[in-house]
């Protein structure tokens, strides 16, 4: 399918794994074979896209040379509209109710939940999505936060270097193919924990008072 898309003129191929969430299939239990199958498919897709001349622009996206990659995580701030949408401001995340009827009610189109973090939380959030995009721009981090990522997260960068997950590239850090494989696995665990917990609660209650992400 990826070959067909590229030969038809597609500039970018994004292939996100089909992740089963507990709130959609309560009896589903992940097993080692499922994870192994996803890892194999991910590596096969990467090899094929490289063969077709595409470059990897994030864990799950590949683009033709000269094409600016597109992903929602390339934006530091954004505004969401509609039930279940999120808005990212400088100091918080705002989430609309997931209930369509409640959202469409006269008093409904307002944030249902807010996630307010401290400075370190947003540094870590910024860094997380740059790792997902396979490149950590040191100058951009310094401009945004006034320090370097290695200063703020020394242990993370020490282990990424030692394990071969990332390497220095001038002022930047480049995530290796080995690192991309592990980010692929960690992202799925993230989706099955915090995201699943959050979505499950929002689908049960239109205006939840609080959700604890543990």
């Amino acid at each position: 399918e990826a070959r067909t898309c590229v030969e038809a003129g597609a500039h970018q191929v994004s292939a996100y794994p089909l992740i089963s969430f507990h709130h959609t299939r309560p009896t589903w239990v992940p097993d080692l074979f499922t994870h192994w199958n996803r890892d194999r498919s991910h590596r096969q897709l990467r090899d094929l896209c490289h063969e077709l001349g595409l470059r990897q622009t994030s864990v799950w996206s590949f683009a033709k040379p000269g094409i600016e990659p597109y992903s929602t995580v390339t934006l530091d701030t954004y505004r969401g509209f509609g039930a279940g949408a999120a808005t990212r401001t400088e100091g918080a995340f705002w989430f609309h109710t997931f209930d369509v009827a409640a959202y469409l009610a006269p008093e409904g189109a307002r944030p249902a939940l807010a996630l307010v973090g401290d400075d370190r939380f947003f540094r870590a959030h910024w860094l997380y999505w740059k790792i997902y995009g396979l490149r950590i721009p040191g100058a951009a981090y310094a401009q945004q936060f006034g320090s370097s990522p290695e200063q703020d997260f020394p242990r993370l960068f020490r282990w990424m270097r030692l394990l071969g997950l990332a390497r220095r590239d001038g002022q930047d850090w480049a995530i290796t193919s080995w690192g991309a494989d592990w980010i692929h696995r960690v992202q799925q665990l993230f989706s099955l924990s915090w995201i699943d917990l959050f979505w499950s609660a929002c689908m049960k209650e239109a205006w939840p008072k609080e959700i604890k992400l543990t």
Side-chain angles (χ1 to χ4, degrees), residues 91 93 115-126 153 194:
F93 289 93
L115 173 61
V116 180
D118 58 15
D119 179 65
R120 184 168 177 80
F121 171 83
F122 283 105
R123 290 177 189 233
H125 177 268
W126 187 96
F153 302 93
W194 282 14

Side-chain angles (χ1 to χ4, degrees), residues 98-151:
F98 278 47
D99 188 306
V100 176
Y103 177 80
L104 293 175
E107 71 283 1
R110 67 183 192 278
L113 290 162
L115 173 61
V116 180
D118 58 15
D119 179 65
R120 184 168 177 80
F121 171 83
F122 283 105
R123 290 177 189 233
H125 177 268
W126 187 96
L127 184 61
Y128 176 84
W129 287 115
K130 292 299 182 288
I131 292 174
Y132 172 86
L134 305 183
R135 192 167 192 87
I136 305 168
Y141 188 94
Q143 183 178 7
Q144 181 104 354
F145 301 110
S147 59
S148 72
E150 308 95 285
Q151 288 175 324

Side-chain angles (χ1 to χ4, degrees), residues 162-177:
L162 286 173
L163 296 175
L165 305 178
R167 57 178 174 77
R168 284 305 298 258
D169 185 12
Q171 291 186 330
D172 302 345
W173 285 84
I175 306 301
T176 64
S177 295

